[in-house]
């Protein structure tokens, strides 16, 4: 059964996470919790969504998620480091991050709509650059939609997770 307002991408992510025992997490700057809110609406999310972190301040990104000081906050490097940091923080199998300029105007030398989505798994990490148009709300909504698709895409390639650290399941 699909949760209300669940997109096909979120439905697929929910199915993959449930059937493969995956732990999913997110790290957000640009989307300010919208991505976590969307993922948390997935079917049985309490079984597979480890959580998310919203980090706007650069010093929080550095201290909590391991962002290298001096990294441009609107960059591929930042997006990948945020995803990798949150993957570790939540002991997740997959993580996606959002960073960029929502608008309405440019910021830090980047035009409005410049968005980087980072992703990380235990084996690999990467990013996608988006050049979005529209008002800030449209940029944020499009960023969340693509981030959910990115999670589902990378979850497709993951195998069932092994035993969790600290799960208390030792015999």
């Amino acid at each position: 059964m699909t949760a209300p307002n669940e997109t096909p991408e979120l439905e697929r992510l929910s199915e993959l996470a449930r059937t493969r025992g995956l732990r999913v997490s997110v790290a957000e700057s640009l989307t300010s919790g919208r991505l976590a809110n969307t993922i948390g609406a997935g079917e049985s999310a309490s079984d597979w969504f480890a959580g998310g972190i919203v980090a706007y301040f650069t010093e929080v990104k550095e201290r909590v998620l391991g962002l290298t000081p001096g990294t441009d906050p609107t960059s591929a490097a930042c997006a990948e480091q945020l995803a990798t940091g949150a993957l570790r923080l939540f002991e997740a199998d997959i993580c996606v991050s959002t960073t960029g300029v929502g608008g309405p105007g440019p910021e830090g030398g980047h035009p409005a709509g410049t968005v980087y989505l980072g992703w990380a798994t235990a084996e690999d990490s990467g990013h996608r650059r988006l050049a979005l148009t529209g008002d800030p709300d449209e940029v944020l909504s499009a960023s969340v939609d693509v981030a959910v698709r990115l999670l589902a895409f990378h979850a497709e390639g993951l195998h069932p997770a092994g035993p969790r650290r600290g799960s208390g399941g030792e015999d």
Side-chain angles (χ1 to χ4, degrees):
M1 182 172 142
T2 301
N5 302 320
E6 191 171 281
T7 65
E9 293 84 9
L10 182 55
E11 185 178 345
R12 182 67 183 140
L13 175 62
S14 300
E15 177 187 338
L16 287 165
R18 286 190 325 271
T19 60
R20 296 182 183 187
L22 301 177
R23 184 182 285 197
V24 176
S25 66
V26 298
E28 302 180 72
S29 181
L30 171 71
T31 49
S32 187
R34 277 194 195 197
L35 179 56
N37 184 301
T38 298
I39 299 297
E43 186 176 340
S44 301
S46 62
D47 295 333
W48 53 266
F49 181 42
I53 184 166
V54 177
Y56 269 173
F57 288 172
T58 301
E59 61 262 25
V60 173
K61 293 173 187 168
E62 292 170 358
R63 188 174 60 251
V64 177
L65 297 173
L67 180 67
T68 303
T71 303
D72 180 350
T74 301
S75 68
C78 179
E80 290 181 26
Q81 289 178 42
L82 295 180
T84 301
L87 185 84
R88 280 192 308 269
L89 180 68
F90 290 101
E91 295 184 344
D93 298 298
I94 185 167
C95 180
V96 164
S97 68
T98 64
T99 191
V101 181
E107 186 177 309
H110 302 282
T114 303
V115 174
Y116 288 91
L117 303 177
W119 61 270
T121 66
E123 294 82 32
D124 206 1
S125 64
H127 71 276
R128 285 207 41 205
R129 182 186 185 280
L130 308 175
L132 302 171
T133 58
D135 65 35
D137 190 60
E138 292 169 322
V139 169
L140 297 181
S141 292
S143 298
V144 167
D145 290 346
V146 176
V148 173
R149 286 199 308 266
L150 194 60
L151 276 167
F153 175 81
H154 286 288
E156 289 277 354
L158 294 178
H159 302 290
R164 286 275 170 235
R165 287 185 294 277
S167 64
E170 292 104 53
D171 291 332

